[in-house]
């Protein structure tokens, strides 16, 4: 049984501090002990075996309190989902139990200076050397890169793009912490350099040529799904804070809620939040049914929910005024986080093109 309430209790009181100092190691340990890091992994490997609907609800709940905590569950799940889908029986046996239990924390190392939206442009290399591979490259903006024990690294090799597991403690791996970014400040982000890091060829996941389209593609799909539900949580939380402030804040003897412009703003927020949840539910239905449209449905959910998180958080800051700009303001923190959500795991503009192509093919859900 996954004990989400225990994690939420800590997030409710400490999320603002985590935004300043980073998600502490003890919270990562708590997330592991409460089963969050193996929520949707198979029971035989120690997971809870939750389906997409249950996973989405967890992501939304965490999203209401701390984007960085939800991001831990997301990025770890991205790696385990890719390994579970594309790893060999031996790789799954060797890696999944530790990952599912949270004894090993994983992160995705894909983005580079010249390869963000277009990951096909990565220049990290996997050079063959007998039964080993030599990994060289520089990865940027790795979520929880400061604390991850293993990285799923995207790179190039003879035969095409490939992905491999690279442990943090191997000689040649160096970690550069990143602080003060716009949002997700608690997510222990880092840049990672691989300087001729030697790994066994057995740590390649799937053959060369499958690294992006299959392995990292699966990881990104999982990430978009949980990110989308996390954004539903952001929108819900910001709407709740804005409504509570409007109902209690009095100016000139009149509560803010009595002004039609405030009521209209809250009404728009409610519609945006409900719309985001509805399209996430549709994406969930597609995933559970194994629909051929599940991939684009998830892209649409991530697009709609991150937009809702951005606009609802912005309106919430406006309603709260100075209180929304205070250092520990939840809506202020989510306002910064929401902009990042519109960029990572596929920018909004790219999603629009993909969804538009789906429409031209005669969109069906």
């Amino acid at each position: 049984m996954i004990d989400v309430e225990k994690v939420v209790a800590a997030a409710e009181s400490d999320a603002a501090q985590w935004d300043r100092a980073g998600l502490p190691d003890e919270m990562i340990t708590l997330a592991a002990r409460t089963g969050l890091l193996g929520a949707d992994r198979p029971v035989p490997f120690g997971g809870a075996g939750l389906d997409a609907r249950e996973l989405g609800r967890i992501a939304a709940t965490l999203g209401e309190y701390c984007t960085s905590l939800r991001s831990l569950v997301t990025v770890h799940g991205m790696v385990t989902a890719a390994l579970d889908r594309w790893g060999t029986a031996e790789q799954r046996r060797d890696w999944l139990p530790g990952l599912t239990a949270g004894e090993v924390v994983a992160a995705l190392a894909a983005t580079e200076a010249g390869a963000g939206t277009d990951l096909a442009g990565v220049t990290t290399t996997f050079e063959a050397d007998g039964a080993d591979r030599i990994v060289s490259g520089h990865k940027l903006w790795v979520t929880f890169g400061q604390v991850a024990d293993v990285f799923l690294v995207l790179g190039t090799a003879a035969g095409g793009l490939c992905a491999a597991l690279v442990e943090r403690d191997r000689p040649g791996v160096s970690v550069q912490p990143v602080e003060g970014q716009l949002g997700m400040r608690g997510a222990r982000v880092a840049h990672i350099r691989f300087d001729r890091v030697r790994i066994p060829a057995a740590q390649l996941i799937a053959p060369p040529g499958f690294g992006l389209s299959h392995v990292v593609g699966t990881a990104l799909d999982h990430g978009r799904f949980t990110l989308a539900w996390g954004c539903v949580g952001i929108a819900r939380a910001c709407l709740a804070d804005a409504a509570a402030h409007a109902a209690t804040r009095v100016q000139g003897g009149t509560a803010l809620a009595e002004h039609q412009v405030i009521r209209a703003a809250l009404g728009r927020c409610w519609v945006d939040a409900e719309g985001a949840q509805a399209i996430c539910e549709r994406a969930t239905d597609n995933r559970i049914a194994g629909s051929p449209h599940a991939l684009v449905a998830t892209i649409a959910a991530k697009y709609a929910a991150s937009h809702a998180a951005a606009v609802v958080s912005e309106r919430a800051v406006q309603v709260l005024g100075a209180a929304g700009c205070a250092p520990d303001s939840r809506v202020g923190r989510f306002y910064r986080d929401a902009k990042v959500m519109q960029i990572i795991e596929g920018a909004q503009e790219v999603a629009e093109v993909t969804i538009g192509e789906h429409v031209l093919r005669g969109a069906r859900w």
Side-chain angles (χ1 to χ4, degrees), residues 100-186:
T100 299
E103 296 167 357
V104 177
V105 176
L108 177 67
T111 300
E112 298 179 5
T117 297
D118 181 14
L119 288 175
V122 295
T123 59
T124 293
T125 57
F126 292 87
E127 176 188 349
D129 186 15
D132 294 338
R133 294 295 182 270
I134 308 299
V135 186
S136 299
H138 189 201
K139 296 297 186 179
L140 305 179
W141 308 113
V142 178
T143 302
F144 284 95
Q146 294 181 34
V147 298
D149 301 298
V150 65
F151 305 98
L152 179 61
V153 182
L154 177 67
T156 63
L161 293 172
C162 57
L165 294 172
V166 181
E167 299 95 325
R168 174 199 187 91
D169 59 3
R170 286 189 176 270
V173 178
S174 57
V175 177
Q176 177 191 352
V178 177
E179 298 176 350
Q181 69 269 21
L182 176 66
M184 287 176 58
R185 292 182 178 177

